């Protein structure tokens, strides 16, 4: 691949900023300074240094975004702004959001180019738990907790899988954990019980928790530990179950 693309993919800057860096002579390939951004490198075999730093090639990249309301979870959209537009200075070719949050939902969204991991995380058979913080237009009751656990008829072929509802103070606020991802699932579940969701934010997906130091609209690369935990969850995810 081209040297400028390699460096942008490795998070060293935008395609145009890394071109400038290459022309300044701070990039070496196998010990020799290369000043041409279009220079072809073998990303797996060549030793590429940016200043003093050796750049490790990574086929897959993973970002956590704290999604703001007003953006759609898609790579492209003809009407709305997409979450991809929030990834400033990231080479977004080949990246996509893992699953969808509604346009008005905030919170944790994983963005990657790792299709196999995404597939596993979204597979209904894997029961990967997703936890949301919700604010409702009425006070929740213990009966609602039981109804979430028993499963609700939201108009799908089957009732919803057991879900955990943890009522907070005040009782118009709650954490909800579901292990499936039907369209508008949380809003539809509350709707069946007579509530309207006024605010919804995803705070975790399997082992991955939203980093609360990220303000809405901000993102960061996942740490090695977070990536490892997601990968091991991929193998063990079907162990996650709630209730019965
Ligand atoms: N459930 C919803 O209703 N909306 C979301 O964005 C995610 C889950």
């Amino acid at each position: 691949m081209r040297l400028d693309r390699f460096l942008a993919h490795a998070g060293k800057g935008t395609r145009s900023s890394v071109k400038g860096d290459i022309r300044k002579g701070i990039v070496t390939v196998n010990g020799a300074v290369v000043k041409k951004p279009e220079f072809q490198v073998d990303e797996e075999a060549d030793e590429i240094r940016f200043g003093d730093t050796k750049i490790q090639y990574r086929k897959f990249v993973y970002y956590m975004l704290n999604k703001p309301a007003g953006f759609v979870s898609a790579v492209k959209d003809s009407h709305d702004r997409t979450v991809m537009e929030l990834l400033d200075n990231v080479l977004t070719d080949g990246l996509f959001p893992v699953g969808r949050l509604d346009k008005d939902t905030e919170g944790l969204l994983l963005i990657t180019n790792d299709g196999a991991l995404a597939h596993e995380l979204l597979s209904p058979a894997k029961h990967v738990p997703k936890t949301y913080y919700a604010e409702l237009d009425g006070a929740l009751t213990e009966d609602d907790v039981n109804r979430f656990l028993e499963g609700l008829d939201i108009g799908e072929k089957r009732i919803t899988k057991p879900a955990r509802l943890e009522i907070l103070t005040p009782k118009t606020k709650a954490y909800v954990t579901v292990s499936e991802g039907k369209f508008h699932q949380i809003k539809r579940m509350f709707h069946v019980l007579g509530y309207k969701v006024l605010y919804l934010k995803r705070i975790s997906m399997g082992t991955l928790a939203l980093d609360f130091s990220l303000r809405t609209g901000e993102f960061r690369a996942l740490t090695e530990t977070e990536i490892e935990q997601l990968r091991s969850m991929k193998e063990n995810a079907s162990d996650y179950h709630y209730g019965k």
Side-chain angles (χ1 to χ4, degrees):
M1 83 166 66
R2 286 174 59 119
L3 182 57
D4 55 352
R5 185 179 161 75
F6 171 86
L7 291 170
H9 183 78
K12 287 290 147 199
T14 60
R15 196 78 177 256
S16 62
S17 76
V18 297
K19 275 183 186 155
D21 293 330
I22 296 168
R23 291 197 179 106
K24 277 185 216 144
I26 62 173
V27 178
T28 60
V29 179
N30 300 326
V33 172
V34 172
K35 291 192 172 179
K36 289 193 170 136
E38 67 277 17
F39 185 83
Q40 289 291 322
V41 293
D42 177 341
E43 60 272 12
E44 298 194 24
D46 290 340
E47 185 183 295
I48 299 156
R49 285 181 181 267
F50 189 88
D52 291 337
T53 319
K54 184 173 170 201
I55 311 294
Q56 204 66 45
Y57 175 67
R58 283 173 202 278
K59 188 167 172 200
F60 296 124
V61 291
Y62 306 86
Y63 295 98
M64 158 189 313
L65 169 71
N66 184 358
K67 179 190 172 298
F71 288 77
V72 292
S73 306
V75 172
K76 269 191 194 163
D77 194 275
S78 46
H79 295 292
D80 289 307
R81 289 176 297 172
T82 74
V83 290
M84 306 309 285
E85 293 170 36
L86 295 161
L87 299 192
D88 285 345
N89 290 343
V90 168
L91 183 68
T92 54
D93 304 6
L95 301 192
F96 56 88
V98 178
R100 278 169 188 264
L101 290 179
D102 296 338
K103 186 173 163 188
D104 61 351
T105 300
E106 296 186 356
L108 176 66
L109 194 61
L110 173 64
I111 298 179
T112 183
N113 55 352
D114 185 343
L117 181 76
H119 179 78
E120 295 287 330
L121 291 176
L122 297 175
S123 160
K126 298 285 175 177
H127 309 286
V128 172
K130 289 163 276 266
T131 299
Y132 295 82
Y133 165 75
E135 293 181 2
L136 296 313
D137 66 345
L140 296 160
T141 67
E142 279 311 307
D143 186 47
D144 298 324
V145 174
N146 294 330
R147 300 280 305 276
F148 265 72
L149 200 56
E150 284 160 8
L152 294 163
D153 181 357
I154 59 168
E156 297 282 334
K157 272 192 217 137
R158 296 192 184 155
I159 61 165
T160 54
K161 298 218 172 75
R164 185 162 67 191
L165 177 64
E166 186 189 337
I167 303 173
L168 302 171
T169 309
K171 292 182 174 175
T172 50
K173 299 180 178 179
Y175 292 125
V176 187
T177 304
V178 293
S179 60
E180 51 192 343
K182 300 271 187 306
F183 185 61
H184 294 330
Q185 176 149 354
I186 303 285
K187 291 174 185 162
R188 287 159 74 198
M189 289 171 86
F190 278 116
H191 180 74
V192 167
L193 299 181
Y195 301 96
K196 185 171 168 16
V197 173
L198 303 178
Y199 175 79
L200 191 62
K201 178 178 193 133
R202 182 156 64 193
I203 55 172
S204 71
M205 183 173 185
T207 56
L208 189 63
L210 178 64
D211 179 341
F212 280 97
S213 71
L214 292 176
R215 283 175 297 190
T216 43
E218 290 185 340
F219 70 97
R220 67 160 170 80
L222 294 199
T223 63
E224 287 304 315
T225 312
E226 286 167 334
I227 297 169
E228 274 317 304
Q229 285 171 340
L230 277 181
R231 292 223 176 97
S232 65
M233 183 177 69
K234 184 177 132 183
E235 270 100 61
N236 304 318
S238 52
D239 300 342
Y240 292 84
H241 284 284
Y242 282 98
K244 305 161 220 176

